[in-house]
Every structure is written in C-alpha cells, then in structure tokens.
Amino acid sequence: MLDPVLTSPNLKLFADSNDTLNYKRDAGNYITQVFENQMPAIATGFFNVHMTKGIIIQPHWHTNVDELVFVISGEVLTSVFNPFTQKLMTYKLKPGQVSMLPKGWFHWILTLSDKAHILTIFDKPTPDIVYGSDFLRHIPKEILHIAYCVNEEDYAKAVAPLKETVILGPPPGCGKRDDHAPYVESIQRQPFDQPFPLNVQQPSPPSYYGYAPPPPYPSYPYNYHQARMQQYGVSPSYSPYSQPPSYPPQASFSPPYAQPAPYAQPVTYSQQAHQQSPFFQPQPFQQLQYLYKTSPDPESVSSRGPESDTEIGREGQ
C-alpha cells in the first residue's frame, strides 16, 4: 500500500532544524527540532540541542520512543537508570560517539565542555516526554512525607524554583552558574561504564525463591578424558541422554579380531507393512494365552479334564 504522504502532490522532503524553536533558556542554550509537523514525510525526528558547560537536559523519560544521542561537538555525559539491574549507566561522549536511551528508562544529559552541540534522534516522528520538573512540582508535599518521611517544609522550599516545565536546567534564578562548577568537576572524575576485571569473580545470581540454585553438571578434567580415550579408543559420552548410533559404527578393530559385518540398512516403511509381525501380548493378559493359540496345548487340555459325553455325542452327529 502506497503512503499517501509520499504520493501527495505537495510532497516536501526538506526541512531546516534551525527554523523551529522548541525551547530557549538563553542565547547559548536552546533547542530546535525537526518532527512530523516540520516534515510530514519523516519517519523519525530529532532535537538539535546547543548547550554550555554545566547545563543539563533535565531528568525525564519517554513513553513511546527510543532515543539516540549523537555528539556533533563538545563533550557530554549521558546517564540512564536501568530498571532491570537497578543501576545507573553513565557514558562520557565525545564528537562522533552515540548513546542509547531505551523507551521508558529515566535519563538525563549533562554538558561537560564549554560548549556542546548534540542531536537527540527518536524512532518515531512525535515523542512523548514526561519531565521530572513537572513530576516534582506537582506531587503534594504531604505525599512525599508519607511515602519517604521527607520534611514537608524542606521539600516545598526545594521545589520552589520550579515554576514551570524546565527542559534545560538549572532554571533561571537558581544562583550563579559558577556555583555548579565543583559538582561538574566531581562528576567528571568518576569512572564511567567500567567493565568487570577478568580476574574478579562475578556476583552470584539470586536464589530461587529462597532455595539455593541447582548444582552445575559435573565436569571432568582434560587428563581424565585423555586417559579414557587411551583405554577405550573412543571418547566416552557423559550426556544424561542416550546418544543415537553412528552410521557406520566408528569403533576400530585390529587382528586377531575379525572385521565387523557391514551395517544393515534399516527396513523401509513399505517393507514393514508387508511383513507379518508376531502377535504382541500385553503383560496383564498372559494368563489368557490359550485363547490365542492355534493348536491345543497338552498340558492345558489335561488340566481341563476329559470332555463330556454330550460334546462327544455332538461330534458323532
């Protein structure tokens, strides 16, 4: 089926991301965009973000899209909360590097260099965004106190600067920019995305509903396998399931043993259909064997006793 947008006589395949302003904090920190409204034929969309040092794209999450952060210039820090491991995944990105922010995962982007220019690209033309500033300023202070024992007055004072949705933080009027410099420098000194060393034992997985996990299948050292191969000429199998035979058998024989006979080909289904198979008697019905015999058994006849005169007379008639 043809896309009606692509077949339209008014089709437009060009857009300028500098024309549509999404958010502006000041002259050095602003966001422009290209989405479905700017280019109906686009299947994705992106924010064109300019930031200065210490400015952060506030904590938020997307309900319907995955996000890819691409750095054009400068240096930024992306952090995303992994809901499965309950850990924070943080990456320091330089020009040409990218970071993935999955749908529904809480994340933010912090500027580390004096200036930074990035693209945040989405896999749908219209992303849904839930901003942390809206959540914080609208949740009642009494609820925070009941849920987390947070002092009501302290919380109300902390969120007082959040008068509206804040996309590029901190909000205006939140002190001097230089006040945040020590925090940015401290964050840059932290290790990011460090893998586990190879000589460090990995943490054990959680127990199975309070019970210890089943023990692993026993393994055998290499020298044990080698000794068994020298003794038997073949490598033994330790599988808990029976292995099918090989065709032909791989076992080797040497004089004075005779060579094995060639392997007999299996009987086909049509051959089996024309062969008369012996009658199979289930185990519980062995006491009724005399019913299925074509010739009388002397022992069974003698055990039943002589035939009656009536039956002999019938034969004579």
Side-chain angles (χ1 to χ4, degrees):
M1 182 177 180
L2 297 178
D3 189 344
V5 176
L6 297 179
T7 57
S8 171
N10 300 320
L11 176 64
K12 180 184 177 182
L13 298 178
F14 169 81
D16 189 348
S17 64
N18 299 308
D19 292 343
T20 304
L21 181 67
N22 175 271
Y23 182 84
K24 183 177 181 179
R25 185 184 186 275
D26 50 49
N29 298 277
Y30 59 93
I31 303 174
T32 59
Q33 68 180 36
V34 170
F35 286 108
E36 189 175 25
N37 293 335
Q38 290 75 48
M39 185 188 296
I42 196 171
T44 59
F46 65 89
F47 285 124
N48 187 24
V49 187
H50 296 266
M51 297 186 295
T52 57
K53 188 173 184 178
I55 294 296
I56 183 173
I57 298 180
Q58 68 152 309
H60 64 281
W61 69 91
H62 307 281
T63 62
N64 66 331
V65 292
D66 294 325
E67 181 179 355
L68 186 71
V69 179
F70 176 79
V71 179
I72 297 176
S73 63
E75 189 173 321
V76 299
L77 200 69
T78 64
S79 298
V80 58
F81 179 74
N82 188 329
F84 300 102
T85 62
Q86 297 288 300
K87 293 182 179 180
L88 195 64
M89 305 177 67
T90 302
Y91 303 94
K92 184 185 293 185
L93 304 182
K94 297 181 179 180
Q97 297 180 337
V98 297
S99 176
M100 179 70 181
L101 306 174
K103 176 175 60 178
W105 291 25
F106 202 69
H107 59 272
W108 56 86
I109 305 173
L110 175 66
T111 311
L112 299 179
S113 56
D114 292 336
K115 292 183 179 180
H117 182 197
I118 66 174
L119 295 179
T120 58
I121 308 169
F122 304 91
D123 58 355
K124 289 185 180 180
T126 305
D128 292 332
I129 308 174
V130 181
Y131 292 106
S133 59
D134 295 335
F135 177 82
L136 293 174
R137 67 192 180 97
H138 285 107
I139 188 170
K141 58 183 180 180
E142 295 81 7
I143 296 298
L144 267 295
H145 175 72
I146 296 173
Y148 310 112
C149 200
V150 175
N151 183 275
E152 300 178 21
E153 301 303 325
D154 292 344
Y155 180 77
K157 183 179 180 181
V159 299
L162 304 178
K163 303 297 183 181
E164 58 185 11
T165 301
V166 178
I167 299 178
L168 296 179
C174 186
K176 297 181 180 180
R177 292 283 303 281
D178 295 339
D179 295 343
H180 302 285
Y183 298 100
V184 176
E185 298 296 334
S186 175
I187 291 176
Q188 292 193 68
R189 290 193 295 268
Q190 297 177 6
F192 305 113
D193 194 38
Q194 297 293 332
F196 286 102
L198 296 179
N199 58 350
V200 176
Q201 185 178 2
Q202 300 293 334
S204 58
S207 60
Y208 294 81
Y209 300 98
Y211 297 93
Y217 193 78
S219 60
Y220 299 90
Y222 174 76
N223 56 358
Y224 179 82
H225 284 282
Q226 189 175 17
R228 298 283 288 182
M229 291 178 64
Q230 294 178 358
Q231 180 179 0
Y232 293 98
V234 294
S235 177
S237 173
Y238 300 100
S239 174
Y241 305 100
S242 59
Q243 301 293 330
S246 58
Y247 302 98
Q250 299 296 325
S252 59
F253 296 86
S254 58
Y257 300 102
Q259 296 293 333
Y263 180 77
Q265 297 296 329
V267 181
T268 63
Y269 177 78
S270 59
Q271 293 174 346
Q272 292 180 356
H274 292 84
Q275 290 179 356
Q276 184 177 4
S277 59
F279 180 78
F280 174 75
Q281 300 184 37
Q283 186 71 17
F285 299 98
Q286 286 186 352
Q287 67 272 20
L288 304 178
Q289 290 183 9
Y290 69 92
L291 296 177
Y292 304 102
K293 292 184 178 180
T294 56
S295 59
D297 188 357
E299 296 182 0
S300 63
V301 172
S302 61
S303 62
R304 286 185 290 171
E307 297 179 349
S308 62
D309 296 340
T310 305
E311 294 176 353
I312 297 175
R314 292 177 181 174
E315 293 181 356
Q317 297 175 2

